[in-house]
């Protein structure tokens, strides 16, 4: 089955460019476009895409607010944020709001298609090196702009030692296969650990698990 994608951007040339790039992939189908966040919320409800490519800065409703509404309406929604700058405070806020990851707008056709596939499959943390750097930076700087208290580290008490170890590796940007190699276990075992971590911590995906690990101090930003 094809991965159904909705493209959200206020610039027509960007929408058309991404549509052409993704439409050339045999396993990806662009099912619609939206011109702003408000338009995106309505079209997600109507079209039920597998992945939403979401710009951040748009009129009427920005990508951050749209992501929050989309995820609130459907906890399984997968939003892939598009940004011009890799260290963008709005991207970090979007990850906390429920976005599954982000890509730079200058990503290659291969990176764009692979990003869509990764998010659609549930491997939410994209571009580990860049995503980890962004999470580290805005975990360090985000306290001043945080409107809610950071999550309590007491929630780690429900995790086993191995699950805590896996969570640390997730926050460091490791994929399931890399974690399996690090711990010398089967990849299916890692997937089971990740699923249990998300359930125990009440988190929706790997990206939120990584943010949680940084915000509670389980993983410290690199100096």
């Amino acid at each position: 089955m094809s991965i159904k994608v909705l493209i959200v951007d206020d610039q027509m040339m960007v929408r058309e460019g991404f549509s052409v790039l993704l439409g050339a992939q045999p396993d990806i189908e662009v099912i619609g476009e939206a011109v702003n966040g408000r338009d995106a919320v309505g079209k997600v409800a109507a079209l039920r895409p597998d992945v939403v490519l979401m710009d951040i800065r748009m009129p009427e409703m920005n990508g951050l607010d749209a992501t929050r509404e989309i995820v609130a309406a459907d906890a399984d929604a997968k939003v892939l944020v598009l940004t011009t700058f890799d260290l963008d405070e709005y991207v970090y806020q979007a990850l906390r709001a429920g976005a599954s990851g982000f890509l730079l707008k200058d990503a290659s056709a291969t990176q764009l298609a692979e990003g869509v596939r990764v998010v659609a499959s549930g491997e939410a943390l994209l571009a580990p090196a860049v995503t980890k750097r962004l999470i580290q930076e805005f975990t360090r700087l985000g306290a001043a702009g945080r409107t809610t208290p950071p999550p309590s580290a007491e929630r780690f008490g429900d995790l086993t030692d191995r699950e805590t170890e896996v969570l640390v590796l997730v926050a460091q940007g490791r994929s399931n296969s890399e974690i399996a190699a690090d711990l010398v276990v089967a990849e299916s075992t890692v997937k089971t650990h990740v699923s249990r971590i998300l359930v125990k911590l009440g988190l929706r995906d790997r990206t939120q698990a990584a943010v949680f690990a940084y915000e509670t101090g389980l993983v410290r930003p690199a100096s």
Side-chain angles (χ1 to χ4, degrees), residues 153-174:
E154 292 179 0
R155 290 164 65 184
F156 286 123
D158 293 333
L159 301 184
T160 66
D161 290 344
R162 178 45 64 93
E163 288 167 350
T164 301
E165 189 175 12
V166 170
L167 177 56
V168 168
L169 293 172
V170 167
Q172 291 173 346
R174 302 284 210 285

Side-chain angles (χ1 to χ4, degrees), residues 3-201:
I3 300 169
K4 297 181 294 183
V5 176
L6 175 71
I7 299 173
V8 185
D9 197 291
D10 61 327
Q11 298 182 46
M12 182 177 65
M13 290 183 64
V14 173
R15 296 196 306 271
E16 290 181 348
F18 284 142
S19 183
V20 169
L21 292 175
L22 292 175
Q25 303 296 317
D27 59 335
I28 297 175
E29 177 188 3
V30 177
I31 61 170
E33 299 178 4
V35 299
N36 57 52
R38 179 60 61 199
D39 189 21
V41 171
K43 287 187 175 175
V44 167
L47 300 176
R48 310 292 294 179
D50 298 310
V51 177
V52 180
L53 285 182
M54 180 75 73
D55 189 24
I56 290 290
R57 294 175 174 83
M58 295 180 292
E60 294 193 35
M61 176 184 280
N62 62 40
L64 174 62
D65 292 336
T67 296
R68 188 176 290 113
E69 285 201 20
I70 289 168
V71 172
D74 180 2
D76 294 324
K78 295 179 173 62
V79 178
L80 179 54
V81 171
L82 297 168
T83 181
T84 306
F85 308 105
D86 57 0
L87 288 182
D88 184 332
E89 62 177 306
Y90 293 108
V91 174
Y92 178 68
Q93 293 178 41
L95 294 178
R96 294 186 70 220
S100 295
F102 79 98
L103 280 177
L104 298 181
K105 281 190 173 182
D106 61 0
S108 68
T110 299
Q111 290 171 326
L112 179 64
E114 185 58 26
V116 168
R117 295 184 185 106
V118 168
V119 167
S121 72
E123 289 281 343
L125 193 58
L126 298 180
V130 179
T131 301
K132 182 176 70 173
R133 180 158 57 91
L134 181 142
I135 291 173
Q136 289 174 342
E137 180 69 10
F138 286 97
T139 299
R140 184 186 298 115
L141 301 178
R146 184 179 289 126
T147 57
T148 58
S152 171
E154 292 179 0
R155 290 164 65 184
F156 286 123
D158 293 333
L159 301 184
T160 66
D161 290 344
R162 178 45 64 93
E163 288 167 350
T164 301
E165 189 175 12
V166 170
L167 177 56
V168 168
L169 293 172
V170 167
Q172 291 173 346
R174 302 284 210 285
S175 66
N176 283 346
S177 60
E178 290 170 335
I179 294 173
D182 288 344
L183 301 181
V184 195
V185 297
E187 188 170 345
S188 59
T189 300
V190 175
K191 291 180 180 179
T192 298
H193 284 314
V194 171
S195 295
R196 288 176 178 168
I197 290 167
L198 297 180
V199 170
K200 288 182 177 181
L201 297 181

